[in-house]
Amino acid sequence: MPAAAGLAFLVLPLAGLLIRAPWSTLPERLTEPGILAALRLSLVTATIATAVCLVLGVPLAWVLARTDFPGRRLVRALVTVPLVLPPVVGGVALLLVFGRRGLLGGWLDATFGVSLPFTTAGVVLAEAFVAMPFLVISVEGALRGADSRYEEAAATLGASRWTAFRRVTLPLIAPGVLAGGVLCWARALGEFGATITFAGNFPGRTQTMPLAVYLALEQDVDAAIVLSLLLLVVSVGILAALRDKWVTA
Amino acid sequence: MTLDAHIFVERDNFELDVALTAEPGEVVALLGPNGAGKTTALRALAGLVENNGEIWIDGVRVDREPPEKRRIGVVFQDYLLFPHLSALDNVAFGPRCRHVPRRQAREQAKEWLSRVGLSDHVRKKPRQLSGGQAQRVALARALAAEPKLLLLDEPLAALDARTRLDTRAQLRHHLSAFPGATVLVTHDPLDALMLADRLVIVEEGRIVQTGDAATITAQPRTDYVARLVGLNLYRGRAQGGTVFLADGFPLVTAAAQEGEAFAAFPPSAVALYASRPDGSPRNTWPGTVTSVARHGDALRVEIAGAIAVAADVTPAAAVHLGLEVGREVWASVKATEVRSYRA
């Protein structure tokens, strides 16, 4: 019984979304320019954020999985903080560091004339901050599961650490990296709290789908439902497409 | 391509302290029981565990270099072929790491694979190869990197008996063609005797005996080696033609010897009797059978007594004597069968 209740609890809201959807006016609503702009912005920023997470997160995962240094456990704990941190707090923290008067933001502004808050780049930053732990943890797990002796074998054949990682380890953990990437991308796509705090809610620039949904809910419930439905379809579609190939747990 | 190494590795409650040399073209076998430190020695040479000794190859000290700079090839016990790469790309991996252009690296790899008789398996992934084939790919991969020193960790241990025979012969052939020094680790005396020019016996992190196959098989110096080569071995003080063992037991030997000495004889030289045999200056003593087991065509009988001994008897004799665990028997060995040599 509790299992059935649990399932119902998870599925019912999604069913409600489908039932209440304004199916008759769906085509016109979907092609509204505001919706498409929000969708495009969401997809682009989530993808860039995932790329950023891959570039920074995979080496971090390697360090956590393969090296032993004092404070490694602390670093690992720090990595997982954004996972449990309320996203709004993350957004405030990002503002304090990258804001115009922030620790790094002031310097960035003065030196490069770059200001991140309330820009599309800011959206990417907020999403990457929140989503990176998913990738790091997933890749670290894959690395721990992979036999490190293959790296030793590569070394005896003359491979530097980087070559061994690129040509041996990375292909071996590819499924784990992909799974982490998908999780990371999905998390970035749904990001709300940190984004609205750090990047604001400017249509076309920083207004991603979740933000548009929230805004629409106050004015036009049907529009909010359509947007939600779209987000649901995109997420489930990506997950389904990849699950068959790679992400079979 | 001369190897001159002192390996010193300390672990929790284990200390490996081994000096090892190998000439160009020489094959040295590290032989020893499980846990003796053989594999650790190999990993220390390759740079995969920290070594507090020194390793010199051709007069160049390499023990401070990382593994990838040492030019030491390793064939691992379970081969560790990269599962996502074809046999060809596995073998081409070494040349590619030395920045040989891709096409050329693949040509070299093809040549190595044909040398080990695997021209038809170039495109196969490791999981599609049999054990013997995988072993040969691993050898080709190590050799293709043109190492100065080749290390083999239990190269035949993962193979079944039949494949093992063929692969051993092929391995012998390829090792003789390799210009550098080779160190191989094994716990199988047959592998060591067949493949190596020189044997180094390691027990509990120390070298206990070195020598060529003939010396080791004729004059074992520890119980482990004696068991490997199938001899009964005792240590004592020789006075003329008799070696007095630790507890005073006199063993009459074939030739005279003085001072600390070993005495050895094969199990086939031991005769068993139901009661005390008559006359003649032989070594004769009573004992109790502790085990009886098949050993080739004969039965290997272990007997506890004044001295512990292994005897080989025919099944017919065993039946005649009623040999079973607990049976009291008399053992006897002719003096002419007992070899003695300096300890």
Side-chain angles (χ1 to χ4, degrees), chain A residues 149-150 152 155 159 167 171-172, chain B residues 43 68 72 78 81 83-84:
Chain A
R149 293 180 314 146
Y150 286 115
E152 294 182 349
R167 292 205 50 210
L172 288 177
Chain B
R43 290 174 60 80
E68 63 266 25
I72 296 179
D78 43 1
L81 296 177
H84 60 290

Side-chain angles (χ1 to χ4, degrees), chain B residues 106-268:
Chain B
R106 287 203 163 154
E107 281 308 313
Q108 291 177 11
K110 239 180 225 165
E111 205 179 303
W112 276 108
L113 283 171
S114 87
R115 234 175 274 182
V116 297
L118 289 174
S119 296
D120 300 337
H121 300 77
V122 166
R123 296 267 151 236
K124 287 201 176 148
K125 290 280 172 68
R127 65 170 177 279
Q128 297 169 302
L129 298 169
S130 71
Q133 289 166 346
Q135 199 273 350
R136 279 139 72 195
V137 174
L139 180 68
R141 183 176 72 171
L143 290 174
E146 292 175 10
K148 294 180 170 170
L149 171 68
L150 181 65
L151 307 177
L152 303 148
D153 188 4
E154 302 275 5
L156 304 169
L159 304 175
D160 60 74
R162 201 187 168 75
T163 320
R164 206 172 167 139
L165 215 61
D166 296 340
T167 311
R168 190 190 287 133
Q170 287 165 3
L171 185 58
R172 192 183 155 81
H173 168 72
H174 293 303
L175 291 185
S176 66
F178 176 61
T182 304
V183 177
L184 84 90
V185 151
T186 180
H187 68 273
D188 183 337
L190 202 53
D191 287 349
L193 295 174
M194 298 276 296
L195 294 171
D197 304 309
R198 194 154 54 84
L199 275 60
V200 174
I201 317 279
V202 181
E203 284 178 55
E204 291 174 354
R206 297 285 188 281
I207 293 175
V208 293
Q209 189 170 3
T210 66
D212 58 17
T215 315
I216 300 260
T217 48
Q219 305 192 341
R221 302 183 81 83
T222 73
D223 287 339
Y224 167 74
V225 186
R227 244 192 335 274
L228 279 187
V229 300
L231 287 176
N232 288 300
L233 177 71
Y234 308 93
R235 188 181 178 139
R237 268 197 92 71
Q239 281 174 21
T242 306
V243 174
F244 292 93
L245 306 187
D247 51 6
F249 187 92
L251 208 53
V252 185
T253 61
Q257 194 72 251
E258 290 298 328
E260 285 287 306
F262 287 109
F265 55 88
S268 58

